[in-house]
Amino acid sequence: MDWYKLSVEETIKQVQVDPNTGLTDEATKKRLEQYGPNELVEKDAIGSWRILLNQFAELMVIILIIAAVVSLFLGEYVDTVVIMAIVLINAAIGYSQEYRAEQAMAALKKMAVPTVRVRRNGDVQEISSTSLVPGDIVLLEAGNVVPADGRLLQGANLKAQESALTGESEPVEKDLQVPMGDDLTVGDRTNMVYMGTSITYGRGSVIITSTGMDTELGHIAGLIQEVEDEKTPLQRRLAKLGTTLAWIAVAIIAVVVLTGYFLRGEELQDLFLTGISLAVAVVPEGLPAVVTITLALGSQRLLKRQALIRKLPAVETLGSVTVICSDKTGTLTENRMTVTILDVAGNREDIETLVSRRGVLLEAEWPGYTQPEMTALSVLIRAGALCNDAILKQTPSGEWRAIGDPTEGALLLAAKKLGYDKAELEDRWERVGEVPFTSERKRMTTIHRMDESVRQTDLPWRETPYVLLSKGAVDSLLQVSSQVFVGTEIVPLDDDWRQRIEAANNDLASQGQRVLGVAFRLYDDPEPPNDQESVEVEAVFVGLVAMIDPPRPEAKEAVDIARQAGIRPVMITGDHPLTANRIAQDLGITDNDRCLTGAELSQMSLSELEGVVDDVAVYARVSPEHKLNIVEALQNKGQIAAMTGDGVNDAPALKRADIGIAMGITGTDVSKEASDMVLLDDNFATIVAAVEEGRIIYDNIRKFIKYTLSSNTGELFLMVIAPFLGMPLPLLPLQILWVNLVTDGIPGLALAQEEGEPGTMRRPPFKPKESIFSRGVGSQIIWIGTLMGLVSMLVGYFAWRNDPEGPWQTMVFTTLVLAQMGNALAMRSNEQSLFSIGIFSNRLMVYAVLSTFMLQILLIYLPPLQRVFKTEPLTLEKLAICLAASAIVFVVLETYKWVKRLRTQSS
């Protein structure tokens, strides 16, 4: 039921309660049985054992387990231990990630209120919040957390902080009236309070209308539990790679066994072992370990850039992002209301321009001043600082921060910028009374006694003992104003002046600014007024103050970088559409006025939203379902969506998005638990920096895959083609496994630590369905692998022809291993020469190449290892041939990159 559409009387009738006495014990018992306890219920959670077993269901992991079994069968116990260690480490990491992801519900439960004050049986009692039922009368005051959804019954200046549900940073004023309009979002239902929000001002009583999972918070909890975790692009690509490699492995076994048996008549057992060894060699056992370590190293680098990674796959997902859906407040903006424009009769000034003229402004208080518009501006600024309950505090760094209402804080900071200190002003204008703000009047008024120096010199307040200062909504102040302050004169507020003030107000509001009016009234009686009726009458309207939560200075540059990188920024906010559009245009997120509101989204089906989601860059006044629908529509259109959020209302969308990004400073525990990444500085620019890091990581993973599979392709080419030339099998099973072990290991880890390529953020992201072999990776794997296999085979072929009983097999083995090291060095950059990026810029790669070379030398010349790997010592001449031949691969790759650079420059 839409409770906000009902009057107080209709609500009382609907829930069947006497508001004066509350529910009886008997009625409470029946309703508790009917509706259940007031708590969030968690659906059947996945058991820990099931989470653990799921880690072994991935195809790549199954292939690795088979490889471990085969290695055990071949007597390769070291390989078996290493492969199973990789499997278990990955399972442990995956388990911890999924287990943490299930903790979002626990964070939601923390928002429950332990005890509440409720009216039952005619008495006010303090009970556990879990015992609340619909119809209970709950008493609320400033500092209370709302225990369940309720309709306001009574209220005195009640304000609620609903940012966790709506995303709006400012407290919402509550009143008893039924708000106008249908399908209102939570933020516009001003006669309702909601579970998990907090009361910041005033007091009141509410009729509980919904409890537990029927509340708005419960609805969000249900959405979180319904959202299924999406596989990351890398996980999908690796799964596809695993399927491809599995079929290749089966084909290899068939080819080796059939060709060896029918062409050369070799023993089936030996052929089968060789085929199995080659099939194992096809599988890059080091890939899961390299991916995990690459992601872990990336997450450490991201932490230094103020981004905390909660789930490792998110690091790579960042690099695939095509759309960033960002909240406005605090992420794109400073989360601090700031005065931008002061408007007095006949004059509008930008605040920064006034700061540069502040000396002139301070002189405007004195009589005989020749710039009357400055006098009016001075009055406007001082009145805004004096009719104000906020205070300023100086931080250890010397920065001034406002404590209190954000709007009032903005007025004080503006006054401070212009040379007016509230404490000093109050020494001269002592506050002796006030009429507090109410949502009905939409204004507040303070009464000040002026000291003798002010009464003798200051314009326009000379010779009067008291001045009454008012601030509030412009239309509200115009209702109680009869005059207007023009320069240094007070003139009647006629229709012409009213129209000019209203036009200025509408103009500023249309720019997305929040506008306040300021007025004063001179009071000549010796005693101050003591009743509201005699205070807010015959006021003199001074001018308008416009303010906005300004964009972060670095946000515009970050938006530009994102656009250059082919990423579309989208703003999703609970704020007003005009404000959202103004900020979005300032930042370059949009260049038009198109904005979809929550009310419009409520009328659209998912398919209709999919039709416009690629064209809309600004969404305002949205609800949790809207955010979820926007993400789903983007994903259905093939986009990889990142979603930022800080409130409880953001949690379902954060969990559904390809990468959910929570705010570290303003974010709730619920949003953090549902996210993949936490911004420690709540800054949009950090997201863009994280995207760059994600792209570097994915590039490095692709480099490793290109490197390891091209090396494996070389082995396959060698083993499949050699028998057609009449040669015996050029490599033994143990030698194949050794090549795979040393080349997949440290060199692979070294590639994971490469710096980013030039232009990383000047190219479009990889499309979600784009293969891991796209953009030349697949073709390079084939021709580089063929080149390595061909070079190794030719070395072995000519050595075999010259001396069939000589160490030709050791020469093939050595050439292949060293060629793969040249391949690793050349793979460090897709376009840049090894010599331009620096041979020693990646020291781990240097150690990897040198250590692999030394190990190969030991295999050739150390007798115990000769016996194990069936190698023979090589003469210096034969070793030199192997070195020279293996260098061909490096030279060809560097030449290929040189030609590629020339083509890029010419185009």
Side-chain angles (χ1 to χ4, degrees):
M1 180 176 290
D2 293 329
W3 292 99
Y4 69 91
K5 294 182 179 179
L6 302 184
S7 66
V8 172
E9 293 74 19
E10 289 171 332
T11 306
I12 291 170
K13 184 177 179 181
Q14 187 69 35
V15 298
Q16 300 176 2
V17 65
D18 182 346
N20 297 316
T21 60
L23 295 173
T24 63
D25 288 340
E26 185 180 353
T28 302
K29 184 178 179 182
K30 287 181 179 178
R31 295 188 187 198
L32 195 59
E33 292 173 356
Q34 180 181 353
Y35 297 105
N38 178 38
E39 60 186 7
L40 302 182
V41 179
E42 189 169 0
K43 293 182 181 177
D44 294 337
I46 301 174
S48 298
W49 62 271
R50 190 173 166 189
I51 293 175
L52 184 61
L53 286 179
N54 286 342
Q55 307 310 310
F56 300 96
E58 295 288 340
L59 183 58
M60 185 65 81
V61 174
I62 292 171
I63 292 173
L64 286 179
I65 293 172
I66 293 171
V69 172
V70 171
S71 297
L72 182 65
F73 179 69
L74 294 173
E76 291 303 309
Y77 304 116
V78 174
D79 277 9
T80 304
V81 171
V82 169
I83 294 172
M84 285 310 299
I86 290 168
V87 170
L88 292 174
I89 289 168
N90 278 278
I93 293 171
Y95 173 81
S96 66
Q97 289 168 4
E98 287 192 33
Y99 183 78
R100 282 206 308 267
E102 297 298 320
Q103 300 308 302
M105 276 302 302
L108 268 179
K109 287 182 174 181
K110 290 179 185 176
M111 298 186 71
V113 189
T115 58
V116 292
R117 292 170 64 227
V118 63
R119 187 177 294 134
R120 286 183 179 175
N121 300 311
D123 297 321
V124 175
Q125 306 172 17
E126 195 168 89
I127 66 167
S128 168
S129 64
T130 58
S131 302
L132 281 178
V133 294
D136 263 326
I137 308 297
V138 172
L139 308 182
L140 297 172
E141 60 185 19
N144 289 164
V145 176
V146 180
D149 293 1
R151 206 292 186 192
L152 200 60
L153 179 64
Q154 294 174 327
N157 305 325
L158 196 69
K159 289 186 181 181
Q161 175 56 267
E162 298 180 341
S163 59
L165 283 179
T166 66
E168 289 193 62
S169 56
E170 292 195 38
V172 180
E173 300 160 15
K174 298 295 180 180
D175 60 52
L176 302 181
Q177 302 305 313
V178 177
M180 300 295 291
D182 294 322
D183 297 320
L184 296 182
T185 60
V186 168
D188 294 320
R189 300 173 190 175
T190 52
N191 57 355
M192 298 287 294
V193 293
Y194 293 98
M195 184 182 193
T197 62
S198 58
I199 304 301
T200 60
Y201 192 83
R203 56 186 173 76
S205 60
V206 297
I207 305 172
I208 298 302
T209 54
S210 304
T211 59
M213 295 299 287
D214 294 328
T215 63
E216 285 293 324
L217 194 65
H219 181 54
I220 292 170
L223 289 175
I224 291 175
Q225 294 177 83
E226 288 170 8
V227 173
E228 294 182 4
D229 288 329
E230 294 285 315
K231 283 186 178 293
T232 70
L234 181 63
Q235 287 171 328
R236 291 194 289 267
R237 286 167 179 146
L238 290 181
K240 190 173 182 181
L241 176 62
T243 304
T244 304
L245 293 178
W247 284 111
I248 290 174
V250 172
I252 287 166
I253 296 172
V255 169
V256 169
V257 171
L258 293 175
T259 56
Y261 183 73
F262 290 107
L263 291 180
R264 296 187 54 80
E266 295 186 15
E267 290 292 327
L268 274 175
Q269 183 179 352
D270 294 339
L271 288 170
F272 183 71
L273 285 176
T274 303
I276 290 290
S277 299
L278 272 176
V280 170
V282 168
V283 180
E285 297 98 333
L287 180 59
V290 168
V291 168
T292 300
I293 292 169
T294 305
L295 296 178
L297 291 172
S299 68
Q300 290 175 13
R301 289 196 295 268
L302 281 170
L303 188 58
K304 295 176 182 176
R305 300 176 83 164
Q306 300 299 303
L308 174 66
I309 298 298
R310 294 188 65 255
K311 303 171 187 176
L312 273 185
V315 179
E316 178 277 329
T317 308
L318 280 163
S320 304
V321 164
T322 59
V323 179
I324 299 175
C325 299
S326 176
D327 189 20
K328 176 185 71 68
T329 305
T331 310
L332 292 166
T333 65
E334 294 181 358
N335 195 20
R336 182 169 61 179
M337 294 300 288
T338 303
V339 173
T340 55
I341 292 172
L342 301 175
D343 189 299
V344 295
N347 189 40
R348 178 178 290 185
E349 289 282 356
D350 181 88
I351 190 75
E352 296 306 324
T353 304
L354 279 175
V355 169
S356 66
R357 302 170 63 194
R358 88 183 227 181
V360 179
L361 187 67
L362 291 173
E363 294 174 6
E365 303 177 17
W366 304 100
Y369 190 65
T370 57
Q371 296 188 39
E373 73 278 3
M374 281 296 183
T375 300
L377 288 167
S378 174
V379 171
L380 181 64
I381 295 160
R382 285 178 286 160
L386 286 164
C387 184
N388 198 311
D389 290 328
I391 58 172
L392 290 184
K393 290 284 187 182
Q394 197 167 19
T395 64
S397 62
E399 185 181 9
W400 290 96
R401 291 279 181 181
I403 299 174
D405 182 82
T407 301
E408 293 193 323
L411 292 171
L412 287 189
L413 287 167
K416 190 73 178 176
K417 272 186 182 180
L418 296 169
Y420 295 103
D421 182 80
K422 183 184 180 184
E424 293 175 4
L425 289 173
E426 286 179 332
D427 287 340
R428 298 160 66 190
W429 285 271
E430 179 190 0
R431 187 192 289 197
V432 294
E434 67 180 281
V435 181
F437 177 91
T438 64
S439 54
E440 291 78 21
R441 291 168 33 254
K442 295 184 179 178
R443 60 182 179 267
M444 74 172 286
T445 299
T446 53
I447 304 165
H448 300 264
R449 179 189 293 118
M450 293 184 285
D451 72 10
E452 197 64 28
S453 64
V454 176
R455 294 168 62 183
Q456 290 177 2
T457 61
D458 202 355
L459 291 172
W461 301 330
R462 290 205 302 271
E463 306 302 332
T464 55
Y466 298 99
V467 64
L468 284 57
L469 304 176
S470 301
K471 77 171 191 303
V474 175
D475 56 352
S476 168
L477 285 182
L478 286 175
Q479 291 171 9
V480 297
S481 298
S482 60
Q483 301 169 92
V484 60
F485 190 55
V486 182
T488 58
E489 297 180 0
I490 296 173
V491 301
L493 181 62
D494 55 24
D495 288 342
D496 185 45
W497 273 115
R498 285 185 183 274
Q499 289 172 9
R500 288 171 67 177
I501 293 168
E502 287 169 355
N505 179 36
N506 293 337
D507 178 48
L508 291 169
S510 69
Q511 298 174 28
Q513 307 258 15
R514 181 171 188 184
V515 187
L516 286 181
V518 174
F520 70 86
R521 179 187 166 206
L522 302 176
Y523 197 78
D524 294 325
D525 291 354
E527 293 297 325
N530 54 18
D531 61 286
Q532 181 180 322
E533 288 71 20
S534 63
V535 170
E536 294 177 333
V537 293
E538 303 298 322
V540 181
F541 193 89
V542 180
L544 311 174
V545 181
M547 60 186 72
I548 199 167
D549 180 11
R552 284 178 177 262
E554 65 275 22
K556 183 171 177 55
E557 182 185 359
V559 168
D560 290 341
I561 293 171
R563 286 194 173 282
Q564 288 176 19
I567 301 167
R568 188 166 69 95
V570 172
M571 179 190 290
I572 303 179
T573 179
D575 216 333
H576 194 280
L578 289 174
T579 306
N581 247 327
R582 160 71 188 273
I583 297 294
Q585 288 173 359
D586 286 350
L587 291 173
I589 291 174
T590 184
D591 56 4
N592 56 56
D593 294 329
R594 185 163 193 195
C595 172
L596 277 182
T597 65
E600 292 168 320
L601 288 167
S602 296
Q603 304 300 317
M604 299 174 74
S605 66
L606 186 59
S607 60
E608 288 173 331
L609 180 57
E610 288 173 16
V612 299
V613 75
D614 285 337
D615 303 318
V616 179
V618 183
Y619 299 87
R621 294 293 197 206
V622 295
S623 70
E625 296 99 320
H626 299 148
K627 291 189 176 187
L628 204 55
N629 289 342
I630 292 166
V631 170
E632 191 172 346
L634 286 167
Q635 290 173 332
N636 291 347
K637 296 283 285 185
Q639 305 288 349
I640 299 293
M643 167 69 80
T644 73
D646 56 4
V648 178
N649 61 323
D650 297 320
L654 289 177
K655 192 172 181 185
R656 177 56 191 261
D658 295 285
I659 174 158
I661 305 170
M663 302 296 111
I665 299 173
T666 60
T668 59
D669 287 345
V670 182
S671 64
K672 291 174 186 175
E673 290 292 349
S675 70
D676 304 293
M677 182 177 93
V678 179
L679 294 184
L680 301 181
D681 58 0
D682 291 11
N683 194 337
F684 183 83
T686 302
I687 303 174
V688 177
V691 167
E692 181 179 13
E693 193 65 50
R695 289 190 173 191
I696 292 170
I697 286 164
Y698 183 54
D699 284 349
N700 287 346
I701 290 171
R702 278 166 56 90
K703 285 175 187 175
F704 173 76
I705 289 172
K706 182 166 66 172
Y707 159 70
T708 188
L709 291 185
S710 61
S711 298
N712 293 354
T713 302
E715 297 168 37
L716 292 177
F717 179 89
L718 180 65
M719 296 297 290
V720 171
I721 301 299
F724 289 98
L725 298 178
M727 295 172 64
L729 286 174
L731 293 176
L732 300 174
L734 197 57
Q735 292 173 345
I736 293 171
L737 292 172
W738 170 259
V739 171
N740 224 36
L741 183 65
V742 296
T743 57
D744 274 7
I746 301 176
L749 295 178
L751 282 174
Q753 296 190 30
E754 282 299 326
E755 298 294 326
E757 299 273 352
T760 298
M761 291 298 282
R762 291 194 299 274
R763 61 170 169 79
F766 286 91
K767 293 178 181 178
K769 294 184 179 179
E770 194 167 340
S771 167
I772 209 162
F773 299 116
S774 66
R775 306 193 190 190
V777 169
S779 61
Q780 287 181 54
I781 286 172
I782 293 171
W783 76 257
I784 294 171
T786 302
L787 176 65
M788 273 193 290
L790 183 63
V791 167
S792 302
M793 188 180 69
L794 289 176
V795 168
Y797 178 75
F798 288 112
W800 173 67
R801 286 289 299 269
N802 290 332
D803 184 8
E805 302 301 323
W808 67 270
Q809 206 169 38
T810 301
M811 291 180 70
V812 172
F813 182 29
T814 303
T815 303
L816 184 62
V817 169
L818 297 181
Q820 292 190 11
M821 292 304 97
N823 185 25
L825 288 170
M827 285 288 176
R828 286 186 53 197
S829 175
N830 292 324
E831 294 186 3
Q832 301 300 305
S833 165
L834 172 67
F835 305 104
S836 65
I837 63 175
I839 295 175
F840 295 98
S841 59
N842 187 338
R843 294 186 180 277
L844 183 59
M845 180 62 80
V846 176
Y847 298 147
V849 171
L850 291 176
S851 61
T852 302
F853 178 76
M854 293 306 300
L855 285 170
Q856 188 65 23
I857 294 298
L858 291 175
L859 257 66
I860 297 170
Y861 296 107
L862 200 65
L865 292 177
Q866 287 175 349
R867 288 191 291 273
V868 173
F869 287 93
K870 305 293 189 290
T871 57
E872 299 175 60
L874 299 177
T875 64
L876 285 177
E877 180 187 0
K878 287 183 169 59
L879 183 61
I881 291 171
C882 294
L883 280 168
S886 63
I888 293 173
V889 175
F890 174 77
V891 172
V892 170
L893 280 171
E894 285 295 317
T895 305
Y896 168 79
K897 290 192 290 183
W898 176 68
V899 172
K900 192 175 179 182
R901 287 196 301 276
L902 287 179
R903 287 179 178 174
T904 303
Q905 290 168 6
S906 62
S907 62

